[in-house]
Amino acid sequence: MFAPVPDGACEGSGVSGSISIPQRFVWPYGGRRVFLSGSFTRWSDHIAMSPMEGCPAVFQVVCNLMPGFHQYKFNVDGEWRHDEQQPSVSGSCGVVNTIYLVREPDILPSILSNEAPGRSQMEIDNMEANSRMPVSDLVVSRQRISVFLSTHTAYDLLPESGKIIALDINLPVKQAFHVLYEQGVSMAPLWDFSRSQFVGVLSAMDFILILKELGNHGSNLTQEQLETHTIAAWKEGKLQLRRTVDSNGGSHPWRFVHAGPHECLKDVAFKILQNKVSTIPIIHSSSEDGSFPQLLHLASLSGILKGICRHFKHSLSSLPILQHPVGSIPLGVWMPKVGEPNGRPLAMLRPSASLGAALSMFVQAEVSSIPIVDDNDSLLDIYSRSDITALAKDKAYARTSLEEISIHQALLLGQDASSPYGLYTGHRCHMCLRSDSLHKVMERLSIPGVRRLVVVEAGSKRVEGIISLSDVFRFLLG
């Protein structure tokens, strides 16, 4: 039925051709030596799969495949097997997994596109912001993105290598935030040793709520208690009572939001949006009862967006909505126009505003970042929830009064003394213009660490709006 597995790794990756699509194959069920074979290798070549760093039971390989229907199977320690969690069919080769790769057309039917032939990308990018958006452009683009997200899983987000920080739930809160600051991360999954399970996450929002509680004169939590106050005590104790805002951003503080590696990217994106979180852990367990869980990755909208941009890189015309300027589509939060009824003002602060005002705005306005502007509303810097972990440096939170320290001073706390940059140089601010195309905005937001773009007026840098990753996905998913 199949050719014998060779002793050495085979480097074939499918049928040759001018157009191919990268596809990641994953075997998450362990083994010593795992090979991949399929119709794309004519069932004669066997491609060696490599164990993932930190997860030796998970093997993976990326192959460049031609668009169309493919069958494949895994050889695990000399035994041919298929993944029961993936689509499969029975035939002359036994039970084999299947995959169907779709190549998006390079040219849209003229009935669905109002773009003139021969128009350059530069001309598209420079379209006037008051241009109208054809409904057909939106419908076609949403449908094709939905198909991509529905046919790819969280496994496609896994990097070749990397590290993930997890915290023991019995770790003191003070020490936990030192770890977050030192590792340069704003959240970490929580591990309960007694239950042998991941039970939640600790995020920058937790630190914000703790700091606000410390600043509350009626609080029972003192600086001394914070030294020994554990994460479990914070999550379970009096401070969490009747709170509706937690690290998962919902009204169920004990609900642990996570995803499995076999969940499609569309479901992962919806989980992030519905629970108002920036990141969710991808957890795999080889046991049916969920025991011995493995933390594979921290999935974010940025990673999913990067996958969209990479997949459609050579067929941008198949997503016509990406060619429209962001100022012409209902995307993001914008400064209300003069005389506009029910206009909601954009959350902004001056550099002299107190840190306490910023933290209150994070909680009450449910925003993740605040543009810092001058008296003309021109962008100077931006203060984000993740910046709060800088207060863990040298225990700054212990000698800081939220109402006495300004945002200017708080931003300086997070700067590296050896950094050549000063405050208000804009190196932390990621900006765009309302005339920029949606594609250009998506490319910038797919860069790791970039979660939002501030829309500014050319020249003056006057703030006109904010476009976040969440805004883009709510628009694309409808």
Side-chain angles (χ1 to χ4, degrees):
M1 178 173 62
F2 301 106
V5 176
D7 292 334
C10 203
E11 296 183 356
S13 61
V15 182
S16 62
S18 58
I19 298 176
S20 60
I21 302 173
Q23 175 64 35
R24 186 192 302 270
F25 292 90
V26 178
W27 176 259
Y29 307 111
R32 293 187 301 273
R33 300 181 67 194
V34 182
F35 294 86
L36 172 73
S37 189
S39 56
F40 43 88
T41 68
R42 304 184 189 277
W43 298 106
S44 58
D45 292 334
H46 304 280
I47 306 170
M49 303 181 71
S50 302
M52 287 183 54
E53 182 177 340
C55 299
V58 180
F59 291 76
Q60 65 176 352
V61 69
V62 176
C63 299
N64 293 317
L65 305 185
M66 298 295 291
F69 181 80
H70 300 279
Q71 297 181 348
Y72 62 95
K73 206 161 186 175
F74 303 93
N75 187 286
V76 184
D77 298 332
E79 178 184 355
W80 287 105
R81 300 175 62 180
H82 71 282
D83 188 344
E84 297 180 356
Q85 300 296 323
Q86 299 299 320
S88 61
V89 296
S90 297
S92 59
C93 296
V95 180
V96 296
N97 291 121
T98 61
I99 187 172
Y100 184 72
L101 300 179
V102 180
R103 175 196 168 194
E104 299 293 343
D106 292 329
I107 301 177
L108 283 173
S110 58
I111 192 173
L112 292 178
S113 175
N114 293 335
E115 299 299 330
R119 175 172 287 181
S120 67
Q121 184 65 44
M122 181 175 295
E123 291 174 321
I124 292 173
D125 289 348
N126 292 331
M127 290 173 62
E128 293 184 356
N130 59 1
S131 62
R132 297 182 61 85
M133 177 186 64
V135 175
S136 59
D137 285 2
L138 179 59
V139 172
V140 168
S141 302
R142 281 179 171 173
Q143 181 181 16
R144 287 173 177 161
I145 290 175
S146 178
V147 169
F148 167 77
L149 295 177
S150 299
T151 54
H152 289 75
T153 67
Y155 265 127
D156 296 307
L157 300 177
L158 270 57
E160 294 293 335
S161 63
K163 68 175 182 179
I164 305 176
I165 304 299
L167 301 175
D168 190 296
I169 199 168
N170 291 315
L171 193 70
V173 171
K174 182 207 72 171
Q175 188 176 347
F177 284 110
H178 276 287
V179 173
L180 294 185
Y181 173 73
E182 292 168 357
Q183 297 296 327
V185 296
S186 60
M187 64 84 67
L190 299 176
W191 174 257
D192 188 335
F193 182 79
S194 63
R195 298 166 56 187
S196 297
Q197 289 182 349
F198 291 99
V199 295
V201 297
L202 187 73
S203 71
M205 179 57 80
D206 286 299
F207 200 15
I208 290 174
L209 295 176
I210 288 175
L211 289 179
K212 287 182 66 64
E213 188 67 26
L214 285 172
N216 180 7
H217 295 296
S219 172
N220 292 322
L221 180 63
T222 65
Q223 292 286 356
E224 292 74 17
Q225 291 173 330
L226 187 61
E227 299 290 320
T228 57
H229 204 65
T230 66
I231 300 173
W234 160 248
K235 291 289 187 179
E236 298 175 3
K238 184 177 179 180
L239 299 181
Q240 192 68 3
L241 188 61
R242 295 190 178 92
R243 289 199 185 273
T244 58
V245 178
D246 72 327
S247 59
N248 286 329
S251 58
H252 305 284
W254 289 113
R255 185 185 177 197
F256 175 38
V257 181
H258 64 284
H262 295 296
E263 293 189 41
C264 71
L265 294 183
K266 189 173 184 179
D267 289 343
V268 174
F270 273 127
K271 278 190 176 182
I272 293 175
L273 293 174
Q274 291 170 356
N275 291 280
K276 298 180 181 179
V277 295
S278 61
T279 307
I280 61 173
I282 304 298
I283 297 177
H284 166 71
S285 176
S286 55
S287 304
E288 294 183 0
D289 60 359
S291 59
F292 305 107
Q294 290 180 305
L295 179 60
L296 301 181
H297 185 56
L298 298 179
S300 66
L301 293 179
S302 176
I304 300 176
L305 187 62
K306 185 176 182 179
I308 295 175
C309 293
R310 182 170 54 241
H311 181 78
F312 293 100
K313 181 177 181 180
H314 300 295
S315 57
L316 287 178
S317 58
S318 68
L319 301 178
I321 193 61
L322 268 60
Q323 301 170 354
H324 290 268
V326 292
S328 68
I329 55 183
L331 176 68
V333 181
W334 297 80
M335 289 284 287
K337 297 179 181 178
V338 178
E340 182 180 2
N342 302 322
R344 181 182 178 183
L346 196 64
M348 300 188 297
L349 289 174
R350 302 285 187 262
S352 58
S354 70
L355 180 58
L359 301 192
S360 296
M361 190 172 288
F362 285 142
V363 175
Q364 296 169 7
E366 296 185 348
V367 295
S368 61
S369 64
I370 304 170
I372 308 304
V373 299
D374 62 15
D375 292 337
N376 297 316
D377 289 343
S378 294
L379 185 65
L380 298 174
D381 211 312
I382 193 164
Y383 194 75
S384 303
R385 281 191 305 211
S386 56
D387 291 323
I388 199 66
T389 57
L391 291 179
K393 182 180 180 182
D394 300 326
K395 296 177 63 174
Y397 61 83
R399 58 180 187 275
T400 298
S401 171
L402 297 182
E403 300 305 322
E404 294 178 1
I405 184 175
S406 68
I407 295 178
H408 182 175
Q409 294 169 317
L411 286 168
L412 289 175
L413 284 174
Q415 286 190 359
D416 188 340
S418 61
S419 172
Y421 300 105
L423 193 62
Y424 310 148
T425 57
H427 72 282
R428 290 164 23 94
C429 300
H430 302 279
M431 299 171 284
C432 69
L433 304 176
R434 65 166 59 234
S435 59
D436 286 340
S437 68
L438 177 57
H439 173 245
K440 183 180 292 186
V441 167
M442 288 171 59
E443 286 281 358
R444 291 178 182 172
L445 285 173
S446 67
I447 299 173
V450 180
R451 294 180 53 190
R452 67 201 58 82
L453 297 179
V454 182
V455 186
V456 298
E457 183 182 65
S460 69
K461 289 188 178 181
R462 185 176 289 112
V463 175
E464 296 186 320
I466 295 180
I467 299 176
S468 68
L469 280 163
S470 298
D471 294 329
V472 170
F473 272 86
R474 289 192 184 94
F475 174 72
L476 294 179
L477 296 177

